[in-house]
Amino acid sequence: MIKLINPWKGSDFLANISSPIIYDFEYTKDEILNLETKILNETHEKYLLRYPTVYIVNDGEQKNNYSIYIGETTNIKRRTLEHLSNELQTREDWQKFASSKSARMFVIGHDHFNKSLTLDIENKLMQYLSSVDTVQYVHNRRTNQQQEYFSSDKMEEIFSKIWRKLHQSNKELFPLERVIQDSALFKASPFHKLSKEQFEAKDQIILKIEEALNRNKTGQLILVGGEAGSGKTVLMSSLFYDLFQLAGENSDNLILKGSSQYLLVNHEQQLKVYQQIAEKLGMSSKQSDKVGKPTSFINNHSEEEKVDVIIVDEAHLLWTQGKQSYRGQNQLKDLLARAKVVVAVFDNNQVLSREQYWAEDELGYIVNQTNLYGNYIHLENQMRINGNEQTVDWIRHLVDHQEIKKIPQDEKYDLRVFDSPEKMFQAIKEKAKNQHAGISRMLATFDWEYIDKKTPSDRDYWDVSIGDFSLPWNLQLPQTKELKRKNKKLAWAEQEQTIGEVGSTFTIQGFDLNYAGVIIGPSVKYRDGKIVFDRAASKNKKATQQRTIKDEKVYLSDTLLKNELNVLLTRGVNGLYLYAVDEALQEKLIDAKNGV
């Protein structure tokens, strides 16, 4: 049975671009052999059989558990028959599709399609579909990012039209774009179209890796720097994926073919995201440690049998002293001893705990050494915040110089100061209700008590309380069995019940929110024209307790509490809402909003 998805159904805000032609076929040899008889008219036949097309083979035999293959071709009939005949002998995935009674194939045509455009559409479909909860496995896993070409400026509009028509056909497999774009999987996807800066950085890193492996070097460090929101995570995800492809048995890269690569991150929420991406794309399984935490990797790998490449995202979270099951002194140094190449993303302004702190001379030495050999790459562009240059500068000036300037006018970015935490919470809830506004959450500096895996004796939750306002800290609200199952793979901010909680740096670091409501607690004060940090008012022992550096106990709280504020203020993509507990700071923020 064949279904034509009506490309003219409903209102269309992209009226200047013609609608795609999409057919939904049964995925059988008989259906494909008789394609011409299934297509309704000559125009459709032209764009489906004589133009390049994109296709999606999908099997949802088990409810909410799709396997998919995404491809592009200049001859859909011939290519599909190849899948259904020749490739059955060598590809287990095609055997499963061919033997399934529920497998179908969407074929997509458009009058703008050329080879480059179909490659870009294929790539973006992989980005979207690998981020969908109901998709468990993506079989075609190549990246095809194209640069500029004829009609490249129309790609986003054409893709939106395609996705909207697919959504009409199957809302489980093709959710609303906004829902997908809010997912942590989407934001860390290796299929993002990289900026010129990211693309050149990835090329440079791969060349450096090839050089090291070709010359049999060991312990090589490539350091990637950049402010929060500069696109480091997307770059690392894309790099990890490309290395996986180049190491495969069909690779024509003689240096990287057969090489081993690992991705490590010292952050529970981010680890969940990378593990899901790797499992969906066939890069690792639950039994594999290709994606994991540094301590587990160090404990399970010896210095004698070095792996080829380790990628460390959020390397500022690596420990620089022994802790719990980690018996070493410096995780980065231990990783370098177990690998030929380590690629580490590092932002010193996001170090949050004393056990992650680097002495200035030691960190300076590492940066200077990598810079000396051309192994230090710095990303300059701000990609998270959708505000203008003045807005980004206002946030950076507050954090870096601890001074508050007048809040600039910005039509694209909603920067507000609220006169109560309750009003700010109501505004965040309104944003969260609106599916088109995306995920919005409350955050706060760690200035209210929270003890993990322990319940307070006098109330139900550890909470953030200001006067009559009170909300529980993150990861405490009860969940039904169904919700627990759904949330198992979701990061904190993606879980629906967390709209009623307050996030900390330990759950939100590395993630985006569309609107972030930040309660600046009593550890951040405004005195004599400057922001100052009061460690006595903080409950973050990881930031306020002393650390021994070169046999001397020192406080690091001024740096670590400033970094905590930096992480919180740089989460919002489209808006930042502020309320300060300190009266002087709150008054100064209100003055800044009023242009005083």
Side-chain angles (χ1 to χ4, degrees):
M1 177 184 168
I2 181 177
K3 292 190 288 184
L4 167 64
I5 300 173
N6 181 3
W8 294 279
K9 181 180 177 183
S11 62
D12 201 334
F13 67 92
L14 300 172
N16 58 322
I17 295 290
S18 56
S19 293
I21 298 164
I22 305 178
Y23 278 71
D24 181 7
F25 296 105
E26 289 179 4
Y27 188 66
T28 64
K29 187 176 284 189
D30 285 345
E31 184 95 336
I32 303 307
L33 284 170
N34 296 292
L35 272 187
E36 289 87 350
T37 66
K38 311 282 183 182
I39 297 172
L40 295 183
N41 60 50
E42 191 176 328
T43 301
H44 289 188
E45 186 175 319
K46 173 184 174 182
Y47 293 127
L48 292 183
L49 299 183
R50 298 198 291 279
Y51 263 53
T53 54
V54 179
Y55 59 99
I56 306 166
V57 180
N58 62 96
D59 182 13
E61 190 171 6
Q62 297 178 20
K63 185 173 174 60
N64 296 329
N65 189 358
Y66 284 92
S67 288
I68 62 169
Y69 181 96
I70 305 155
E72 57 77 37
T73 181
T74 56
N75 189 322
I76 187 62
K77 187 171 181 178
R78 184 189 66 211
R79 185 71 185 114
T80 307
L81 290 173
E82 286 173 355
H83 290 325
L84 284 166
S85 52
N86 304 345
E87 294 178 6
L88 292 183
Q89 311 306 316
T90 57
R91 292 278 298 265
E92 184 182 347
D93 48 356
W94 288 119
Q95 292 172 17
K96 288 181 178 178
F97 282 128
S99 61
S100 172
K101 294 179 180 178
S102 58
R104 300 191 66 85
M105 179 173 70
F106 292 99
V107 180
I108 305 162
H110 196 278
D111 61 8
H112 279 57
F113 274 1
N114 53 53
K115 183 69 173 178
S116 292
L117 182 53
T118 55
L119 285 169
D120 257 359
I121 295 291
E122 176 194 35
N123 199 65
K124 199 165 183 71
L125 282 168
M126 285 193 282
Q127 180 189 10
Y128 271 55
L129 285 166
S130 63
S131 307
V132 174
D133 288 343
T134 57
V135 173
Q136 302 302 309
Y137 204 82
V138 180
H139 289 278
N140 179 23
R141 298 177 290 271
R142 62 179 180 171
T143 55
N144 291 306
Q145 177 176 329
Q146 303 296 296
Q147 299 302 310
E148 290 190 23
Y149 52 87
F150 174 71
S151 75
S152 62
D153 59 329
K154 303 292 192 301
M155 194 277 286
E156 294 293 342
E157 294 178 75
I158 292 170
F159 179 83
S160 285
K161 284 204 167 193
I162 290 169
W163 190 266
R164 288 166 57 204
K165 301 323 177 220
L166 291 169
H167 173 72
Q168 291 170 9
S169 175
N170 186 333
K171 292 178 174 58
E172 268 187 355
L173 183 55
F174 306 103
L176 291 171
E177 281 192 82
R178 182 76 263 174
V179 172
I180 291 175
Q181 291 168 358
D182 273 338
S183 77
L185 284 180
F186 177 84
K187 291 170 182 175
S189 171
F191 300 113
H192 275 284
K193 190 160 187 173
L194 302 183
S195 68
K196 184 173 182 289
E197 181 183 44
Q198 289 172 313
F199 194 83
E200 290 174 352
K202 184 171 72 170
D203 268 1
Q204 187 179 345
I205 293 169
I206 290 174
L207 284 172
K208 290 285 182 183
I209 291 170
E210 288 175 333
E211 180 187 352
L213 298 187
N214 196 37
R215 297 184 180 182
N216 206 26
K217 294 180 180 179
T218 62
Q220 299 294 296
L221 175 63
I222 300 171
L223 206 58
V224 180
E227 296 285 356
S230 57
K232 301 184 296 295
T233 290
V234 166
L235 173 60
M236 290 304 101
S237 180
S238 180
L239 173 67
F240 183 51
Y241 186 76
D242 277 12
L243 291 175
F244 167 74
Q245 296 289 81
L246 292 168
E249 59 182 26
N250 295 321
S251 172
D252 56 4
N253 187 309
L254 298 180
I255 298 173
L256 292 173
K257 186 174 183 176
S259 62
S260 57
Q261 58 284 140
Y262 296 80
L263 193 153
L264 308 177
V265 62
N266 223 3
H267 189 291
E268 196 68 45
Q269 304 294 313
Q270 194 71 35
L271 180 62
K272 283 183 184 180
V273 174
Y274 279 132
Q275 285 175 331
Q276 285 185 77
I277 290 172
E279 286 174 24
K280 285 191 179 194
L281 300 180
M283 299 164 72
S284 69
S285 65
K286 292 177 182 176
Q287 293 74 37
S288 168
D289 65 346
K290 290 287 185 183
V291 177
K293 283 192 169 183
T295 297
S296 297
F297 180 90
I298 291 166
N299 291 342
N300 293 323
H301 291 80
S302 71
E303 295 183 20
E304 286 70 38
E305 296 182 19
K306 299 183 192 300
V307 303
D308 292 309
V309 184
I310 297 173
I311 296 171
V312 188
D313 195 12
E314 311 274 358
H316 36 269
L317 302 181
L318 292 174
W319 297 336
T320 56
Q321 64 178 34
K323 180 185 175 183
Q324 298 168 345
S325 59
Y326 174 60
R327 302 302 179 195
Q329 297 301 314
N330 186 299
Q331 287 187 323
L332 179 56
K333 291 179 180 178
D334 284 343
L335 293 174
L336 284 166
R338 287 162 173 78
K340 295 177 183 176
V341 184
V342 173
V343 183
V345 167
F346 193 92
D347 179 2
N348 201 35
N349 290 327
Q350 293 195 65
V351 172
L352 298 176
S353 302
R354 66 187 188 281
E355 63 263 19
Q356 300 160 357
Y357 185 83
W358 287 75
E360 284 188 23
D361 58 343
E362 197 169 20
L363 181 61
Y365 173 78
I366 289 174
V367 172
N368 288 336
Q369 284 298 104
T370 53
N371 206 21
L372 179 66
Y373 295 105
N375 285 7
Y376 181 68
I377 296 166
H378 191 83
L379 299 181
E380 298 289 346
N381 295 326
Q382 167 57 245
M383 299 178 69
R384 175 180 292 137
I385 295 173
N386 280 341
N388 59 33
E389 188 178 334
Q390 291 73 30
T391 296
V392 174
D393 178 67
W394 185 87
I395 295 171
R396 291 263 47 94
H397 197 82
L398 186 153
V399 173
D400 298 337
H401 300 285
Q402 294 161 236
E403 296 174 345
I404 300 173
K405 301 193 295 185
K406 294 177 184 178
I407 293 177
Q409 294 295 315
D410 192 337
E411 293 180 1
K412 297 186 295 181
Y413 196 81
D414 189 8
L415 179 49
R416 288 196 238 170
V417 180
F418 286 78
D419 57 17
S420 79
E422 179 61 42
K423 288 180 181 177
M424 184 165 76
F425 178 46
Q426 293 305 320
I428 287 293
K429 281 201 296 185
E430 283 302 310
K431 290 294 183 185
K433 278 181 192 174
N434 181 353
Q435 210 165 33
H436 294 286
I439 294 176
S440 301
R441 290 294 183 267
M442 293 286 284
L443 309 172
T445 53
F446 201 157
D447 295 345
W448 290 265
E449 195 169 16
Y450 176 88
I451 301 174
D452 191 27
K453 297 175 183 175
K454 188 175 178 181
T455 305
S457 57
D458 58 343
R459 57 196 189 279
D460 292 334
Y461 308 111
W462 303 107
D463 51 29
V464 174
S465 297
I466 305 163
D468 295 333
F469 173 82
S470 179
L471 278 183
W473 272 121
N474 41 217
L475 303 172
Q476 292 187 93
L477 288 178
Q479 303 170 44
T480 63
K481 283 185 179 179
E482 184 181 347
L483 198 55
K484 275 186 180 178
R485 188 165 55 251
K486 180 182 175 183
N487 289 342
K488 190 175 181 182
K489 292 184 176 181
L490 296 180
W492 171 79
E494 295 179 285
Q495 300 176 24
E496 61 187 60
Q497 83 283 356
T498 63
I499 186 59
E501 295 181 334
V502 179
S504 70
T505 50
F506 298 102
T507 47
I508 203 62
Q509 187 172 28
F511 291 91
D512 292 346
L513 295 170
N514 281 287
Y515 294 85
V518 180
I519 298 172
I520 304 175
S523 68
V524 186
K525 294 177 165 58
Y526 191 73
R527 301 289 184 269
D528 301 320
K530 297 276 286 188
I531 287 174
V532 296
F533 299 97
D534 179 4
R535 65 173 173 266
S538 172
K539 302 299 182 184
N540 186 357
K541 293 179 181 178
K542 293 176 179 290
T544 58
Q545 290 181 343
Q546 290 180 310
R547 161 82 187 263
T548 300
I549 296 180
K550 296 181 179 178
D551 299 323
E552 182 184 354
K553 285 190 176 295
V554 296
Y555 284 109
L556 306 168
S557 51
D558 278 357
T559 296
L560 298 178
L561 293 178
K562 183 179 85 166
N563 288 355
E564 180 181 35
L565 185 64
N566 174 54
V567 168
L568 296 177
L569 297 189
T570 54
R571 295 307 99 190
V573 173
N574 295 316
L576 172 63
Y577 297 168
L578 297 171
Y579 172 82
V581 173
D582 179 67
E583 289 185 14
L585 178 55
Q586 175 70 3
E587 186 178 327
K588 181 61 181 175
L589 287 171
I590 290 172
D591 285 347
K593 186 60 182 174
N594 293 332
V596 177

